[in-house]
Amino acid sequence: MEWWILLPLIIASLLFLIMLGVPIAFSLGALSLTLILIFLGPRQLILFSTTAFGQINNFALAAIPLFIFMAEIVLHSGVSQDAYDMLSKWTGRLPGGLAVASQLTCTLFAAVSGASTATAAAVGRIAVPEMLERGYDKRLTCGSIAAGGALGALIPPSIYMIIYGTLVEESIGQLFMGGVVPGLMMSAMFIVLIITRCIINPQLAPRLLEVTWRDRWKSLSKVWAILFLAAAMLVSIYLGIATPAEIAGVGCFFALLIGFVYRRLSWVAIKGAFMSTCRITCFIGWILVAATLFGYVLSYLQLPQQLAEWLVAQSTNPYLILIGINLILIFLGCIMDPAGILLVTIPIFVPIIKAIGFDPIWFGVMFVVNTELSQITPPLGLNLYILKGIAPSNISLKDILYGAAPFMILDVIGLALVIIFPQIILWLPSKMMGF
């Protein structure tokens, strides 16, 4: 069968299984099993066991459960509440001060969580009730936090970057550093939008009462430890002092220490953090194995390679191919979760990117910038539903979607900027030790 018939048929079958509600790991695994039986023969079923062992037996993957556990400990220790209280005191007099504080809290929590849904949930539980009680517009409140939560996918330690780096065998440390500047850029763009909208329409966000400087400085005492933890991890990765997995292990220790010093952790909370970490890690492990097997079968059939050769032959402008890839990713973001998009498309797109001469580190971070948009686009934007679960019953999903719409536009602008100016991503990795 010709490759241009077989590849669309495989992708259509995969999307069909996903839309039926079959979990992404089982969809990839079942389709890979079928392809092996058809094209490689029953004797090659041993690929399932060898691929599973080879993929999971990877030291770099140790960073995933460690970063997840660290985020769970930080969440249970109440540090996100302290960070929000502190930032609201420092930004309260700005137009939309509480919304600005929410964005900054999302940025800070993203630096220790690695996941957008965790960031949106942690900050949303604190900020949404507070902002609504102070008379903030409900659409601005929910939309800003849904968008700010998506920064958890971009600002290191990003779980998606660990998965991408593992699959394509690129430096996870360089991917982490590549996400720092775009993450801060997107956070700054969101804050400027909030302040501008609140200056134009002050009714969106009533000004808060004056806070004394004594209260502001006093509020810093509660968050210095988590600020130090986030900064120490980034500096360690930048200087090459340790691998991401080693830094994650040390980060877990200090997160536990912070929780015990603040007397916020109980044994019940620690047990809950362990159980949540196990569930998330097992989910990621299964889809990693299935995605690796899926990529192996596609490569054996030479489908990505032939697609790359065809695209290169069709267009002399590599940016047209890149725009096409991003449009496909945006479309998939409307019907799939970001992890599924990453695992399904990487075996196909990375050979194309390498063939047309783009840096795989740059593409990996650009990929994650694109997935930010999928977190707040209907009908499957996970952060939208998280905010719906947190918000009061009088706030509809329509209100959250309308509130997130301006931030979707900024996500598209941010994506365009990192494509037009690749040094936004590559500048910091290029300064790392051993780049």
Side-chain angles (χ1 to χ4, degrees):
M1 185 181 295
E2 296 291 339
W3 72 268
W4 47 270
I5 298 176
L6 183 57
L7 182 59
L9 184 61
I10 291 172
I11 299 302
S13 301
L14 179 61
L15 293 177
F16 177 73
L17 290 173
I18 293 171
M19 294 179 73
L20 284 179
V22 180
I24 182 67
F26 298 152
S27 298
L28 287 167
L31 190 56
S32 300
L33 172 62
T34 303
L35 293 172
I36 288 174
L37 290 174
I38 293 173
F39 294 101
L40 282 74
R43 292 185 178 181
Q44 296 301 317
L45 288 176
I46 194 175
L47 284 172
F48 272 90
S49 59
T50 56
T51 299
F53 178 79
Q55 183 64 13
I56 298 301
N57 186 31
N58 187 336
F59 178 73
L61 291 180
I64 292 179
L66 290 171
F67 278 129
I68 293 171
F69 182 68
M70 181 177 66
E72 291 290 329
I73 291 297
V74 169
L75 178 60
H76 284 86
S77 64
V79 173
S80 52
Q81 174 74 62
D82 293 336
Y84 181 74
D85 290 341
M86 181 272 290
L87 291 167
S88 64
K89 287 181 171 63
W90 283 87
T91 64
R93 296 300 297 171
L94 291 173
L98 287 182
V100 173
S102 299
Q103 288 298 316
L104 293 173
T105 307
C106 285
T107 304
L108 176 59
F109 193 83
V112 292
S113 74
S116 62
T117 50
T119 303
V123 180
R125 289 192 188 102
I126 302 162
V128 169
E130 180 73 13
M131 293 168 70
L132 294 177
E133 184 180 343
R134 299 298 181 94
Y136 273 60
D137 178 77
K138 58 185 180 181
R139 293 184 174 180
L140 174 66
T141 296
C142 295
S144 62
I145 296 174
L151 295 172
L154 181 58
I155 296 175
S158 167
I159 301 300
Y160 298 145
M161 290 183 186
I162 297 175
I163 295 173
Y164 175 88
T166 302
L167 288 176
V168 302
E169 299 181 349
E170 293 290 342
S171 168
I172 296 173
Q174 290 178 6
L175 288 165
F176 278 179
M177 288 297 100
V180 172
V181 176
L184 296 178
M185 178 187 73
M186 295 304 303
S187 178
M189 291 168 66
F190 292 162
I191 290 171
V192 169
L193 173 63
I194 291 169
I195 293 175
T196 303
R197 289 184 64 192
C198 292
I199 290 175
I200 295 173
N201 184 5
Q203 294 182 350
L204 292 175
R207 294 289 184 97
L208 301 182
L209 297 176
E210 185 63 55
V211 179
T212 65
W213 281 100
R214 182 176 180 274
D215 289 338
R216 287 173 177 155
W217 289 112
K218 186 178 179 180
S219 67
L220 291 173
S221 63
K222 296 182 178 181
V223 297
W224 68 266
I226 198 66
L227 288 170
F228 173 78
L229 176 60
M233 288 194 301
L234 290 176
V235 171
S236 298
I237 294 170
Y238 178 79
L239 296 178
I241 296 174
T243 66
E246 293 166 343
I247 291 168
V250 176
C252 284
F253 172 77
F254 279 106
L256 284 168
L257 185 62
I258 291 168
F260 283 125
V261 169
Y262 286 174
R263 297 185 178 181
R264 300 281 185 81
L265 285 179
S266 65
W267 290 113
V268 174
I270 294 175
K271 179 182 176 181
F274 270 117
M275 294 303 295
S276 180
T277 301
C278 288
R279 285 193 296 268
I280 297 172
T281 303
C282 289
F283 164 75
I284 293 174
W286 273 111
I287 58 178
L288 266 175
V289 170
T292 302
L293 186 64
F294 181 69
Y296 175 86
V297 175
L298 290 184
S299 296
Y300 175 84
L301 297 174
Q302 293 287 303
L303 298 180
Q305 295 88 331
Q306 292 185 72
L307 176 61
E309 292 175 4
W310 180 80
L311 286 173
V312 171
Q314 295 300 310
S315 177
T316 57
N317 189 342
Y319 282 97
L320 291 179
I321 299 174
L322 189 64
I323 291 171
I325 288 174
N326 276 283
L327 291 175
I328 292 172
L329 293 176
I330 291 172
F331 167 74
L332 291 176
C334 296
I335 59 174
M336 293 174 63
D337 65 279
I341 299 170
L342 178 70
L343 295 165
V344 169
T345 59
I346 286 304
I348 299 172
F349 287 158
V350 169
I352 297 173
I353 289 300
K354 291 180 178 179
I356 58 181
F358 286 115
D359 189 311
I361 294 289
W362 168 81
F363 177 74
V365 179
M366 185 218 69
F367 191 108
V368 177
V369 174
N370 191 300
T371 63
E372 268 198 79
L373 186 59
S374 69
Q375 301 282 359
I376 55 175
T377 49
L380 203 65
L382 297 180
N383 285 8
L384 301 177
Y385 296 101
I386 287 174
L387 265 295
K388 181 66 178 78
I390 293 170
S393 58
N394 64 324
I395 296 180
S396 66
L397 188 60
K398 180 181 178 181
D399 290 326
I400 299 172
L401 181 57
Y402 273 104
F407 298 95
M408 295 181 198
I409 297 172
L410 287 188
D411 277 332
V412 173
I413 294 173
L415 178 61
L417 288 174
V418 299
I419 292 174
I420 297 171
F421 306 105
Q423 284 305 115
I424 293 175
I425 293 173
L426 295 176
W427 175 74
L428 200 54
S430 70
K431 303 297 180 182
M432 287 177 64
M433 296 292 184
F435 182 82

